[in-house]
Amino acid sequence: EVQLVQSGAEVKKPGESLKISCKGSGYSFATYWIGWVRQVPGKGLEWMGIIYPGDSDTRYSPSFQGQATISADKSISTAYLQWSSLKASDSAMYYCARPNGDSLFHWYFDVWGRGTLVTVSS
Amino acid sequence: EIVLTQSPGTLSLSPGERATLSCRASQSVSRSYLAWYQQKPGRAPRLLIYAASSRATGIPDRFSGSGSGTDFTLTISRLEPEDFAVYYCQQYGSSLTWTFGQGTKVEVK
């Protein structure tokens, strides 16, 4: 069974750094792109970016370029989303999800992690 | 960026009724690259439909999608109790500028 298992909820202060994770199993992690989607509580979904773990090729949504950094370690089948200096506006649920589709970079998400809730508050 | 507008914002229906959800794009979605997701409280989204009308694996046939260009529809033929949730559309016709609609909540009348 294909699964994405995310790290647990985090509570941080503004200005702190954070790295959350997403571990894939049940498939060849290195050969599938994986992405991150943000959901502010009570709001809709926003695609942030994707990474190809095989060679760490990373693409960001224009809306999120420079806001956070996506990385991956194929040796442990894990993708990461990190911030160097959190803001209150980064408070949200963050989902990792596996893109799919029949045309390069024209993808929907067919497998989702359960989400990591990030709360940034002083 | 393609903006997706979903309507209505909330749909109040009874089990057994038919639900019709709309997703309108600000410009044409190429190759009908539109997906629908279901999200229940405290849960991750679940893929229902891709390519406007193809059901994802394991999705019951009471869910169907249609449309092309700028107008798309998700229909639930007969609402089951587990279908009350929020539904989102997503376009992926624009390379690496995928966007989601704001969601339609289907609630029990």
Side-chain angles (χ1 to χ4, degrees):
Chain A
E1 181 192 5
V2 175
Q3 279 193 308
L4 299 173
V5 178
Q6 297 189 234
S7 51
E10 301 274 0
V11 179
K12 292 289 189 178
K13 290 181 167 47
E16 291 186 330
S17 63
L18 176 64
K19 192 173 190 178
I20 62 175
S21 66
C22 169
K23 183 175 176 62
S25 63
Y27 71 103
S28 177
F29 183 81
T31 61
Y32 283 81
W33 291 78
I34 189 160
W36 289 92
V37 176
R38 184 177 81 171
Q39 186 171 38
V40 174
K43 302 295 185 182
L45 302 163
E46 301 169 280
W47 168 67
M48 300 178 70
I50 52 172
I51 188 167
Y52 187 74
D55 62 5
S56 293
D57 185 2
T58 308
R59 310 298 175 102
Y60 292 95
S61 162
S63 302
F64 285 93
Q65 183 79 45
Q67 305 304 304
T69 301
I70 294 171
S71 61
D73 184 343
K74 64 182 178 182
S75 70
I76 55 172
S77 301
T78 301
Y80 302 96
L81 180 64
Q82 68 180 85
W83 297 261
S84 57
S85 180
L86 286 160
K87 304 184 286 288
S89 57
D90 293 319
S91 296
M93 180 71 83
Y94 292 88
Y95 294 101
C96 62
R98 194 180 74 171
N100 199 354
D102 57 8
S103 183
L104 184 65
F105 298 142
H106 293 270
W107 295 327
Y108 51 88
F109 296 98
D110 67 345
V111 182
W112 293 69
R114 291 189 176 184
T116 296
L117 182 64
V118 173
T119 303
V120 184
S121 175
S122 55
Chain B
E1 175 180 292
I2 296 178
V3 176
L4 299 179
T5 303
Q6 293 187 240
S7 62
T10 302
L11 198 52
S12 298
L13 295 168
S14 300
E17 289 194 294
R18 181 184 187 89
T20 303
L21 288 66
S22 172
C23 177
R24 180 161 289 176
S26 60
Q27 54 189 280
S28 184
V29 178
S30 75
R31 288 183 276 185
S32 296
Y33 277 162
L34 189 109
W36 289 94
Y37 301 86
Q38 176 194 69
Q39 187 178 33
K40 297 180 181 179
R43 303 285 296 272
R46 176 174 72 144
L47 176 69
L48 299 175
I49 301 285
Y50 62 94
S53 60
S54 297
R55 269 189 301 276
T57 303
I59 301 304
D61 60 8
R62 63 180 181 272
F63 291 92
S64 64
S66 63
S68 64
T70 60
D71 289 299
F72 298 87
T73 301
L74 175 70
T75 301
I76 311 171
S77 59
R78 287 177 54 86
L79 282 164
E80 297 288 341
E82 62 268 27
D83 299 336
F84 292 91
V86 179
Y87 293 83
Y88 294 96
C89 56
Q90 178 221 339
Q91 67 80 22
Y92 51 102
S94 294
S95 176
L96 292 175
T97 52
W98 314 324
T99 51
F100 292 88
Q102 83 281 13
T104 290
K105 181 179 182 180
V106 178
E107 66 175 21
V108 179
K109 186 174 181 181

